[in-house]
Amino acid sequence: MQKLLLLGDEAIAQGALDAGMSGIYAYPGTPSTEITEFVQNSKFAAENHIHSGWSVNEKTAMESALGMSYAGKRTMVCMKHVGLNVAADPFINSAITGANGGMMVVAADDPSMHSSQNEQDSRFYGKFALVPILEPVDQQEAYDMVHYGFDFSEKYKVPVLMRITTRMAHSRSGVVRRPEIRKQNELRMPSDLRQFVLLPNIARKRYKNLLREHASFITESEASPFNKYIDGPDKSMGIIVCGIAYNYLLENFADRNVPCPVLKIGQYPLPRKLVEKMADECDEILVIEDGYPIVEELLKGYLGRGLKVKGRLDGTLPRDGELNPNLVAVALGKPDTFGLPVPDLVVGRPPSLCSGCPHIDSYYALSETLSVLSHGRVFSDIGCYTLGALKPYEAINSCVDMGASITMAKGAADAGLVPAVAVIGDSTFTHSGMTGLLDAINDKSPITIMILDNGTTAMTGGQDSPGFGKIEDICRGLGVEEAHIRILKPLKKNHEENVAIMKEELAYAGVSVIIPRRECIVAIDKRVREKLRNK
Amino acid sequence: MKKDIILAGVGGQGIISIASIIGYAALEQGMFLKQSEVHGMSQRGGDVMSNLRISHNPIASDLIPFGQADMIISIEPLESLRYLPYLSGEGWVITNTRPFNNIPNYPAIDEIMREIAKVPHHIALDADATAKVAGSAKATNIVMLGAASPFLGMAYEKIEDAIRFIFRKKGDKIIELNLSALRAGCDFANQNM
Ligand SMILES: Cc1ncc(C[n+]2csc(CCOP(=O)(O)OP(=O)(O)O)c2C)c(N)n1
Ligand code: SF4
């Protein structure tokens, strides 16, 4: 069959379509977004009524997927690594309820934080929840693992976590599809209608069941096609290498022959027998894993006595950041390679707000309004508008997690910082700003909230914003007073007027919401081009 | 045959299209390919780069090791220097000379050009101007692809075929404009090697 050139994300989506998935649930987040977008753009998915619309956040996505699994159908839920924090409650509990139809959770980690606030390792969540984890080495394996993962999930009635990294998600290579597309499952209720009722007495039973199954998960890992023990003559060292890091290892051996035993890991829990074999055979073990030193820590144990284990914890590899072939070369004791040094004149080119971006006019008006007060009052959030932290705007003082602007402003106001301002995007507001707004309203907190409504989820590439056309209704419904919902158009020519409105609302000793509304110019551009194309 | 290529530029300059064209041409010849892209935050006017590896043998790493790239193709002069640590001793820097100045501390262009001139093998051309002369101001990236074409280790016609395929939905006029942009870049490289 012909090879398709697919991103890791696209290979996963194609795998899910070919494996009979009935619905994908997600909130956008780099580097996971393209999985769902691939399904959204698929004619096959549309013809077969496969659900692919965006969810409001990762938690609603995870729960919807669990509902689809309950109903017996195959489902996938995708998110960036920090999204799994938001969805952690349903995720951990879904391991206790178990699945009915196959359920795969895809978490995309971002070592080196190319587009994220941290580089947390989702394998921790998998281990925490006691569910099996799949970690592909390349795009082909990502495709194949989806089939395997759905089958596994249905065989053991457990959700399966797939962990990828930015490099896997956004790297392209050839993928061969399976010749046959599996049909979707029929609607099929759980055989025990109390399986999903986590009352303590049921939950205790189900938890014991999960613990029992865990032994089977290890046996499965030992026989898994994704875990391979490749023997080598030199037993002075053994190498355990996880997911994509295997490629960096092979890159260092032109003939692909590593002299020492290698255990390639693509499925967790770790294949115990294979790890034992390596520990018995080799004098020491080098662990190469992208992300946190999870396998390394596990092997080393708390005291680090006994097995000699090298990796990120002892400095053989750096403690943080993405791996690459050079770092692995050095860890193997091979010579490093260099090109030319970067000339001194090369300066950084950080991302910036597009010229003409509505956020720019909002920030200029806000900064002028606040200029008469002491600095440090603006709690912001995550989106394009976070770039307002950089020069020349330097307009915001925080960016922590989706929704934190409103609640942090509230807490600071509770502490006496009045006025305090929250700046949040429309999509972030519906993701997790609404609940915090209700807290502020119930407490009548003296905060001013700016919901920057550019009509889209811009930072991640312009996906639909779930609250489109509903923002002020949501605010009204939650109880913001009509007089303190102010809509303005962020344009240079409206600057004075906008500053005047902001001044009025800052002076109000309760919750006010200002909605600067103007469409993202990239979204306008995209819309116009699509219109022309469809003519 | 194996080529390791760094593609560099500023978010929005079209390095992914260059990669798709080379990638398509490579696959059509039965080669293996790995291409690592940058999506997300830095696409917003920040520096972006892509690792493109093509080879007749299977490729291991998605990332090119330092000191081993056969060429850096850059659509922006400052960006061509950022990735020099990847370049091998025999490698080529093929860069546009037209600055994309969206930062307050952008260095003086003649100093940038002096640094580019220090790279043993380089080709520097004003791809924006060349694209305009060739008939399409938008084809700057294709001019750069043309300038790199003599170094790709594949027949020029294969790259032309790939352009015809990638732009197949855009109509014959757009295809012709891009083919002449490719030719203009290629001619410049051949005269300035
Ligand atoms: C929990 C979590 N989910 C997803 C993301 C990825 N993400 C960052 S910004 C953003 C979109 C923000 O959209 P909006 O609030 O409308 O602001 P805009 O970018 O449009 O200005 C997303 C989805 C994240 N950082 N954290
Ligand atoms: S993409 Fe839209 S919201 Fe983001 S910086 Fe550009 S104009 Fe502003």
Side-chain angles (χ1 to χ4, degrees), chain A residues 352-354 356-359 384 387 454 456 458-459 520-523, chain B residues 44:
Chain A
S352 55
L353 293 170
C354 306
C357 172
H359 299 334
C384 279
L387 299 170
N454 59 0
T456 186
M459 176 97 264
C520 157
I521 57 163
V522 173
Chain B
R44 212 77 46 261

Side-chain angles (χ1 to χ4, degrees), chain A residues 153-168:
Chain A
S153 173
E154 287 179 355
K155 180 173 174 190
Y156 289 99
K157 303 236 167 277
V158 66
V160 171
L161 175 66
M162 184 162 183
R163 184 254 185 168
I164 57 172
T165 59
T166 302
R167 202 53 64 190
M168 168 61 56

Side-chain angles (χ1 to χ4, degrees), chain B residues 133-155:
Chain B
V133 173
S136 168
K138 277 197 202 147
T140 309
N141 54 348
I142 304 299
V143 170
M144 290 312 306
L145 173 61
S149 61
F151 306 96
L152 292 174
M154 54 176 81

